[in-house]
């Protein structure tokens, strides 16, 4: 169970109109990004939504169509890509993954926050298109040994798939410098608290809060006698 945000966090300050933010989480496979993302989605009472990606990868036993991914054939994926329905796409570990364009653009236009669990290639593409709206976090494992142990413990992929993911981990980690924040996921509670702190601070950024103009002009007009 994850604690909900305190009610105070939703008081006056958070009612001031602001732009939505696009929270990008990336990590080598197995570092714990999906676990942190899930905790965040469950605990965030301010309505952070998950961008549900399209993928050609086979569905894992625990995954639900439309919740974790939109599972599609390669032919369907190509059709989406060719009709410009994808905001970004990439090949990762031999499968294709993409962010559907419409939900993300709508969320941004309506001032809702969205979470993107995507790799460094996707993060680069989103940054090129929407730099001002992106907050990116790279999650590292405490060690490569622990990364391997987590991939095995997750027990949702075949041995050969785990080997590919481990091999790719080093290449992915090389992209750490492209992110705004870097978190080492040693202790899950602490890593999660760090992600929440980043989200809370980013929501308060002045340039994300056009509503401050009205609020402050109201403050200055207010009579105290
Ligand atoms: P990713 O989405 O980065 O591929 P997951 O979130 O699926 O990784 O995590 C991989 C495995 O590691 C899961 O079994 C998860 O429960 C476990 N895990 C995540 N964070 C930690 C942590 N801080 N300590 C120990 N195990 C963890
Ligand atoms: P998994 O197969 O473990 O769910 O995901 C493998 C990798 O693909 C992870 O690094 C994940 O972040 C990335 N990924 C998932 N969805 C997308 C997406 O829509 N776009 C991109 N570029 N990467 C994605």
């Amino acid at each position: 169970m994850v604690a909900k945000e305190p009610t105070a966090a939703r008081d006056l300050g958070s009612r001031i109109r602001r732009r939505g933010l696009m929270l990008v989480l990336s990590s080598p496979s197995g570092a714990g990004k999906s676990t942190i993302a899930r905790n965040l989605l469950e605990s965030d009472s301010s309505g952070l939504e998950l961008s549900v990606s399209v993928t050609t990868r086979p569905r894992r036993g625990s995954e639900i169509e439309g919740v974790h991914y939109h599972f599609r054939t390669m032919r369907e994926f190509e059709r989406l890509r060719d009709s410009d329905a994808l905001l970004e796409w990439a090949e990762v570990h031999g499968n294709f993954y993409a962010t559907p364009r419409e939900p993300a653009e709508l969320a941004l236009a309506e001032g809702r926050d969205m979470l993107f669990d995507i790799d460094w290639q996707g993060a680069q593409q989103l940054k090129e298109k929407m730099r001002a709206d992106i907050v990116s976090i790279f999650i590292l494992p405490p060690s490569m040994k622990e990364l391997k142990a987590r991939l095995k413990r997750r027990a949702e992929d075949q041995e050969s798939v785990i080997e590919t993911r481990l091999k790719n981990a080093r290449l992915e980690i090389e992209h750490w410098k492209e992110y705004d924040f870097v978190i080492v996921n040693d202790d899950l509670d602490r890593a999660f608290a760090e992600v929440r702190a980043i989200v809370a601070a980013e929501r308060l950024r002045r340039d994300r809060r056009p509503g401050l103009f009205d609020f402050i002009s109201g403050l200055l007009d207010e009579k105290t006698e």
Side-chain angles (χ1 to χ4, degrees):
M1 245 320 262
V2 179
K4 287 263 176 200
E5 260 183 16
T7 322
R10 307 189 62 203
D11 284 346
L12 180 60
S14 62
R15 277 190 268 122
I16 293 173
R17 188 170 54 82
R18 66 171 175 81
R19 288 171 63 77
L21 60 80
M22 302 176 85
L23 181 68
V24 171
L25 288 186
S26 301
S27 76
S29 186
K33 155 187 43 82
S34 305
T35 307
I36 290 174
R38 195 168 51 242
N39 286 354
L40 204 57
L41 292 165
E42 281 172 9
S43 71
D44 187 276
S45 49
S46 309
L48 193 66
E49 292 168 45
L50 178 69
S51 161
V52 180
S53 297
V54 179
T55 184
T56 61
R57 147 164 100 56
R59 190 174 64 79
R60 293 179 183 139
S62 64
E63 290 175 330
I64 301 166
E65 159 64 30
V67 174
H68 298 95
Y69 280 108
H70 301 289
F71 296 94
R72 295 291 179 268
T73 62
M74 192 59 217
R75 184 187 287 259
E76 287 166 338
F77 188 95
E78 282 168 350
R79 196 180 50 74
L80 289 170
R81 189 186 57 194
D82 296 345
S83 63
D84 207 28
L86 306 176
L87 197 51
E88 61 77 31
W89 65 272
E91 185 176 357
V92 191
H93 313 308
N95 295 299
F96 288 84
Y97 296 82
T99 301
R101 178 186 298 280
E102 208 180 291
E105 289 188 341
L106 198 65
L108 207 57
E110 292 177 354
R112 289 179 281 120
D113 300 331
M114 208 163 218
L115 174 69
F116 298 83
D117 173 339
I118 59 179
D119 85 325
W120 63 269
Q121 304 173 82
Q124 276 185 357
Q125 293 173 57
L126 289 193
K127 226 158 55 174
E128 274 163 28
K129 290 181 179 156
M130 305 155 149
R131 181 64 196 109
D133 302 304
I134 304 279
V135 177
S136 60
I137 305 180
F138 196 75
I139 310 223
L140 288 169
S143 66
M144 297 309 271
K145 204 169 151 203
E146 172 64 12
L147 184 68
K148 185 173 185 176
R150 285 186 195 170
L151 281 170
K152 283 182 182 283
R153 226 180 298 138
R154 184 165 69 189
E156 295 233 45
D157 294 315
Q158 289 175 350
E159 194 65 32
S160 62
V161 172
I162 290 179
E163 283 309 317
T164 308
R165 286 175 178 239
L166 261 179
K167 248 188 256 153
N168 289 342
R170 287 170 203 281
L171 298 173
E172 291 171 27
I173 290 172
E174 281 174 13
H175 291 275
W176 70 276
K177 286 194 215 123
E178 295 159 22
Y179 288 75
D180 299 321
F181 298 94
V182 177
I183 287 179
V184 179
N185 178 20
D186 185 358
D187 176 78
L188 182 60
D189 288 342
R190 199 187 50 230
F192 176 51
E194 288 170 352
V195 172
R196 276 183 70 156
I198 291 167
V199 173
E202 288 290 335
R203 282 179 171 152
L204 293 173
R205 267 192 195 277
R206 190 188 58 220
D207 51 9
R208 268 203 187 98
R209 306 172 81 199
L212 280 173
F213 285 93
D214 284 346
F215 178 71
I216 288 162
S217 87
L219 266 187
L220 296 177
D221 285 346
E222 195 182 320
K223 301 275 180 287
T224 51
E225 284 161 28

